[in-house]
Amino acid sequence: MTYPLLAGIRVIESSAFIAAPLAGLTLAQYGADVIRFDLIGGGIDYNRLPMMPGGRSLYWTSLNKGKRSVAIDIRKPEGRDLLRALVTAPGPEGGILLTNVPTPWLLHKALVGARPDLISCTIEGNADGSTAVDYTVNCATGYPMLTGDGTRAKPVNHALPAWDLACAYQAAFGLTAAILRRRATGEGSEMRLALSDVAFSAMSHLGVLAEAELLAEERRSIGNDIYGAFGRDFATADGERVMIAAVSARQWRALAETCGIAEAIASIEAALGVDYSREADRYEGRDIIASLVKRWVEARSLAEIASEFDAGGVCWGQYRSVRELIADDARVSTASAIFDEIETSGVGRHRAAGATIRLSDMTRGETQPAPLLGAQTDEVLSEVLGLPQTAIGALHDRGVVAGPEADPLFPQRGEVRSFAN
Amino acid sequence: MTYPLLAGIRVIESSAFIAAPLAGLTLAQYGADVIRFDLIGGGIDYNRLPMMPGGRSLYWTSLNKGKRSVAIDIRKPEGRDLLRALVTAPGPEGGILLTNVPTPWLLHKALVGARPDLISCTIEGNADGSTAVDYTVNCATGYPMLTGDGTRAKPVNHALPAWDLACAYQAAFGLTAAILRRRATGEGSEMRLALSDVAFSAMSHLGVLAEAELLAEERRSIGNDIYGAFGRDFATADGERVMIAAVSARQWRALAETCGIAEAIASIEAALGVDYSREADRYEGRDIIASLVKRWVEARSLAEIASEFDAGGVCWGQYRSVRELIADDARVSTASAIFDEIETSGVGRHRAAGATIRLSDMTRGETQPAPLLGAQTDEVLSEVLGLPQTAIGALHDRGVVAGPEADPLFPQRGEVRSFAN
């Protein structure tokens, strides 16, 4: 679904990989007109795995839903001029650039002369401009030594590009805040956001850095246990696996009552002089608690556990594979308010998420698919730059722009000005 | 550091745990006046680990930097009225509620009568209102079976609360977008954001769901390898460990040249009919490539590797523990534009991150520490509600409000109206 919260705002995106495209996707799914500048034939992330057999990337098409694509040959000076013109085109809600490709001729300082109220957000690896990606940032955070049974000799990387996600949503926030400021004062903003700063600032906000600095304690890997409270994974009688969390006192009471261990717990508390209603005591006593919970869980099937846990208000979840998730979980079906069934060119019909925040008083639109490369070249050049059709045709003839590419699923639909030309 | 991008905006926060406090922190560090409502004596997350020996939580103080705290007894009807009045107080930039505690008397519908342009953002576990936390969402995503050497029988939880982080920054974005809308149209917004939707939407945006649905392929755990490109961890001659990434073609060329394996690679490419300048081929041939890189890395010390990799433009990072990170990495020192040394009551001096986005044309302020509970009770009641000192004094006398609590490091500084009273 989409919501027109940012309707009227025009963002030019020059991006690759995850953080910047996802920031643009976020703006697009809340109604901004996000226009991707694409290289003719696609940029460096256009063919990333996973790929459809017919040759379209599910990675690229998933990250670029609901954007418009303008295909330009920026090796030609005329192509660079066009892209700069798109970024600095007039209109109170234009003049916004989102990028992680700090091309010298597309830097803020190269554009602000043409549009003094320019807003730009540049995502970079490190704040000094050096390269970093999620994986090379993550290894510096200490988390791989804390994940799973990770150790210094055998660290465990996360598979989820968590820092990219956090970076993307912060960039979307920053651009929106800068638009607020521009509306109030007329001033633009030059913003830079480093992936490594995203990671280290989050570690500060979670107290992890202060712990290392002030307590001189090195947090150790605790496997699948939740730090600071009670929670871990358990096997069921029928070979499934569940995660159980008792972070709040309410969750803890629900767990102890549902598993029928409240009396045993009370005896242990009395014997040891602890109080498991306190999170820190639960964390300290996690192995004792787990041994009681384990006995209850391993004697029951998943269905029995689900029924009793849901009735008792226990905070829990089942471990599922991605295929099981999409096959069975209503939260990723079209019964969810955030998932739609969409038709992506070159891909086909599939489920896709839209805006994650739900607004009760605003009409939601449908999630829009990713464009074919250059699908909106002509309409954008006409709408945003006011170029007449003859001028646009001449740009095509000189190879400065292209589009749309042929749809791999329907190559016969290829336009006269396809990429095959 | 902080930036006054959102100066003038007033947000009332009723929150616990990670996502909602971090959303409020984000708004606060970009200049919003974020006023935490706190229970007298602290809410359910006030004493979360890690704790200072003197009894102040580094978790809580890290997540609540730069906010104001008003301590109210909401078991008393008068306390509830006060909190409602704070949320709905007049002023064009007030009337904003951020919460993950869906108290019936503090719901949007219970407040909008008093302030029709109310903006509220409620973070919840699942969209149906049922409980979920990062850990019980994560087990449903399939990622624990893909992390480390995770399997169905032995899934690996992430240690970083990644979904909480993504949720927080989206909430900050959503509130800012809703403020934009209100400034333009005068309309408020009722927003709900479920942690599980944050996870599942991100999986859609990364192409992981489409892969499972359309290709019917179950992504397998690949240890520390990067999916879809080349990258993994290697041991150095002196017992350190590095992560090396060759995602882009440029990163790949830099790695092959710096390790002196370009010729060997060319021979292998010719022999196997592959082209490792293509990401997908690199991924397919990752074990072959890794065997060549391993020989080079394991023959050199970290210092030698660092020197050659940096000179050659290789994308890499060193595995560090959190203590090593804070001791040695300039990116988390006050040489970084985002870290300041701050003094937190009950904690002492320590490094802390501020706003992650850097603005070139705006004066940065210093990162502000977390308040003592109720530290701003009187000033907020006076400023926001216009209550005279006599009325505020009477509220203290009736136990409806309190503050500030005594500073554990300087108990003698305790105020007359301390929590000890």
Side-chain angles (χ1 to χ4, degrees):
Chain A
M1 68 180 191
T2 60
Y3 286 112
L5 265 179
L6 302 176
I9 290 166
R10 183 179 65 234
V11 179
I12 306 295
E13 179 184 311
S14 168
S15 77
F17 302 118
I18 295 176
L22 181 56
L25 177 65
T26 305
L27 300 170
Q29 294 196 321
Y30 292 91
D33 176 18
V34 178
I35 300 172
R36 270 188 70 83
F37 141 68
D38 280 305
L39 293 170
I40 298 177
I44 53 175
D45 65 342
Y46 188 60
N47 294 306
R48 292 205 89 192
L49 297 178
M51 289 281 272
M52 290 298 284
R56 224 166 175 229
S57 164
L58 292 174
Y59 163 95
W60 192 93
T61 51
S62 294
L63 280 165
N64 292 299
K65 294 188 285 275
K67 303 177 189 175
R68 300 203 279 177
S69 168
V70 178
I72 306 178
D73 182 356
I74 54 163
R75 291 166 308 177
K76 296 187 166 68
E78 221 181 332
R80 298 182 178 192
D81 288 344
L82 268 186
L83 179 50
R84 279 190 292 243
L86 285 173
V87 174
T88 59
E93 302 287 34
I96 304 170
L97 173 66
L98 166 63
T99 186
N100 67 316
V101 188
T103 321
W105 51 269
L106 203 64
L107 294 179
H108 191 95
K109 64 181 177 194
L111 299 164
V112 72
R115 175 117 198 190
D117 67 348
L118 179 72
I119 294 172
S120 69
C121 179
T122 303
I123 295 173
E124 51 201 355
N126 291 307
D128 66 2
S130 61
T131 304
V133 295
D134 190 283
Y135 316 91
T136 63
V137 166
N138 193 46
C139 64
T141 63
Y143 275 106
M145 297 186 195
L146 301 177
T147 302
D149 298 317
T151 61
R152 167 174 297 279
K154 200 168 166 18
V156 177
N157 289 355
H158 57 205
L160 175 76
W163 305 120
D164 279 327
L165 300 185
C167 185
Y169 297 125
Q170 283 186 65
F173 159 75
L175 282 168
T176 308
I179 296 166
L180 256 183
R181 177 198 184 197
R182 187 169 73 179
R183 281 201 191 159
T185 68
E187 291 172 297
S189 294
E190 180 182 8
M191 300 188 287
R192 303 185 77 83
L193 174 58
L195 187 66
S196 58
D197 285 344
V198 167
F200 301 140
S201 62
M203 293 178 71
S204 167
H205 302 336
L206 293 169
V208 175
L209 291 186
E211 176 186 18
E213 183 182 1
L214 294 168
L215 301 179
E217 276 171 22
E218 199 74 86
R219 207 180 273 195
R220 292 168 307 119
S221 163
I222 50 171
N224 280 347
D225 277 310
I226 297 178
Y227 170 81
F230 177 75
R232 70 168 60 161
D233 58 321
F234 296 90
T236 69
D238 50 349
E240 298 291 342
R241 208 157 187 91
V242 294
M243 178 72 201
I244 297 172
V247 176
S248 71
R250 190 174 56 75
Q251 290 165 359
W252 168 239
R253 279 194 307 274
L255 178 65
E257 282 163 24
T258 304
C259 294
I261 59 173
E263 259 182 66
I265 289 290
S267 308
I268 294 166
E269 285 176 318
L272 301 181
V274 296
D275 175 3
Y276 290 143
S277 72
R278 296 183 55 228
E279 243 183 306
D281 283 9
R282 279 203 294 288
Y283 180 57
E284 186 70 30
R286 61 192 181 277
D287 288 334
I288 297 171
I289 297 169
S291 68
L292 300 179
V293 174
K294 179 168 180 279
R295 204 179 307 164
W296 189 90
V297 173
E298 69 187 8
R300 284 163 179 78
S301 70
L302 177 71
E304 292 169 310
I305 293 163
S307 159
E308 297 204 42
F309 275 2
D310 287 344
V314 174
C315 183
W316 75 288
Q318 184 191 352
Y319 284 86
R320 309 295 295 273
S321 74
V322 182
R323 286 187 68 188
E324 289 168 336
L325 168 71
I326 198 146
D328 297 335
D329 197 319
R331 295 174 296 180
V332 296
S333 74
T334 51
S336 154
I338 66 159
F339 278 89
D340 289 311
E341 186 94 17
I342 67 172
E343 170 93 32
T344 302
S345 299
V347 169
R349 288 192 72 77
H350 60 101
R351 261 172 279 168
T356 316
I357 302 171
R358 292 162 287 133
L359 282 107
S360 65
D361 52 347
M362 213 170 199
T363 307
R364 57 179 269 211
E366 287 183 8
T367 302
Q368 296 300 314
L372 288 168
L373 281 184
Q376 291 81 23
T377 298
D378 292 9
E379 77 181 39
V380 166
L381 295 180
S382 165
E383 269 178 44
V384 179
L385 298 184
L387 294 187
Q389 281 310 311
T390 50
I392 296 171
L395 287 168
H396 279 279
D397 294 342
R398 290 196 297 276
V400 178
V401 302
E405 67 179 333
D407 183 334
L409 291 184
F410 302 99
Q412 69 281 14
R413 284 194 204 155
E415 303 280 318
V416 175
R417 284 174 186 140
S418 79
F419 282 81
N421 286 357
Chain B
M1 69 181 191
T2 60
Y3 286 112
L5 266 180
L6 302 176
I9 290 166
R10 183 178 67 233
V11 179
I12 306 296
E13 178 185 312
S14 168
S15 77
F17 301 117
I18 295 177
L22 181 56
L25 176 65
T26 305
L27 300 170
Q29 293 196 322
Y30 292 91
D33 176 19
V34 178
I35 301 172
R36 271 188 68 85
F37 141 69
D38 281 304
L39 293 170
I40 298 176
I44 53 174
D45 65 342
Y46 188 61
N47 293 307
R48 290 206 88 191
L49 297 178
M51 289 282 273
M52 289 298 284
R56 216 156 186 237
S57 164
L58 293 175
Y59 163 97
W60 192 93
T61 52
S62 294
L63 280 165
N64 293 298
K65 295 188 285 276
K67 303 177 189 176
R68 301 203 278 178
S69 168
V70 178
I72 306 178
D73 182 356
I74 53 163
R75 290 166 308 178
K76 297 188 167 67
E78 220 180 333
R80 299 181 177 192
D81 288 343
L82 267 186
L83 179 50
R84 279 189 292 243
L86 285 172
V87 174
T88 59
E93 302 286 36
I96 303 170
L97 173 66
L98 165 64
T99 185
N100 67 318
V101 188
T103 321
W105 49 268
L106 203 64
L107 295 180
H108 192 95
K109 64 182 177 194
L111 299 163
V112 73
R115 175 119 198 189
D117 66 348
L118 179 72
I119 293 171
S120 70
C121 180
T122 304
I123 294 172
E124 50 201 356
N126 291 307
D128 66 2
S130 62
T131 304
V133 296
D134 190 284
Y135 316 91
T136 62
V137 166
N138 193 46
C139 64
T141 63
Y143 275 106
M145 296 186 195
L146 301 178
T147 302
D149 297 317
T151 60
R152 167 174 295 278
K154 200 169 165 17
V156 176
N157 289 356
H158 57 206
L160 175 76
W163 304 121
D164 279 328
L165 300 185
C167 185
Y169 297 125
Q170 283 185 64
F173 159 75
L175 282 168
T176 308
I179 296 165
L180 256 184
R181 176 197 185 196
R182 187 170 73 179
R183 281 199 190 160
T185 67
E187 292 171 295
S189 294
E190 180 182 9
M191 298 187 287
R192 304 185 77 83
L193 174 57
L195 187 66
S196 57
D197 285 344
V198 167
F200 301 139
S201 61
M203 292 178 71
S204 167
H205 302 336
L206 293 170
V208 175
L209 291 187
E211 177 186 16
E213 183 182 2
L214 294 170
L215 301 179
E217 276 171 21
E218 199 73 89
R219 207 180 273 194
R220 292 168 307 121
S221 163
I222 49 171
N224 280 348
D225 277 309
I226 297 177
Y227 171 80
F230 177 75
R232 71 168 58 161
D233 58 322
F234 296 91
T236 69
D238 51 349
E240 298 292 341
R241 208 157 186 91
V242 294
M243 178 73 199
I244 297 173
V247 176
S248 70
R250 191 174 57 74
Q251 290 166 359
W252 168 238
R253 279 194 307 274
L255 178 65
E257 281 163 25
T258 305
C259 294
I261 58 172
E263 258 181 67
I265 290 290
S267 308
I268 294 166
E269 285 175 318
L272 300 182
V274 296
D275 174 4
Y276 290 143
S277 72
R278 296 182 56 228
E279 245 183 305
D281 283 8
R282 281 203 294 288
Y283 180 57
E284 185 70 29
R286 61 192 182 275
D287 288 335
I288 297 172
I289 297 169
S291 67
L292 300 178
V293 173
K294 179 167 179 279
R295 204 179 305 164
W296 189 91
V297 173
E298 70 187 8
R300 285 163 178 78
S301 70
L302 177 71
E304 291 169 310
I305 292 163
S307 159
E308 297 204 41
F309 275 1
D310 288 343
V314 174
C315 184
W316 74 288
Q318 185 191 352
Y319 284 86
R320 311 294 296 272
S321 74
V322 182
R323 286 187 68 189
E324 289 167 335
L325 168 72
I326 198 146
D328 297 336
D329 197 319
R331 295 174 295 181
V332 296
S333 75
T334 52
S336 154
I338 66 160
F339 277 89
D340 289 312
E341 187 93 17
I342 67 172
E343 171 93 33
T344 302
S345 299
V347 170
R349 288 192 73 75
H350 60 100
R351 260 172 280 169
T356 316
I357 301 171
R358 293 163 285 132
L359 282 107
S360 65
D361 53 346
M362 214 171 198
T363 307
R364 54 179 270 210
E366 286 182 10
T367 302
Q368 297 300 314
L372 290 167
L373 281 183
Q376 291 82 22
T377 299
D378 291 10
E379 76 182 38
V380 166
L381 295 180
S382 165
E383 270 177 43
V384 179
L385 299 184
L387 295 186
Q389 282 309 310
T390 49
I392 295 171
L395 287 167
H396 279 279
D397 293 345
R398 290 196 298 276
V400 178
V401 302
E405 66 180 334
D407 182 334
L409 292 183
F410 302 100
Q412 69 280 14
R413 285 194 202 154
E415 303 281 319
V416 175
R417 285 174 184 139
S418 80
F419 284 79
N421 283 0

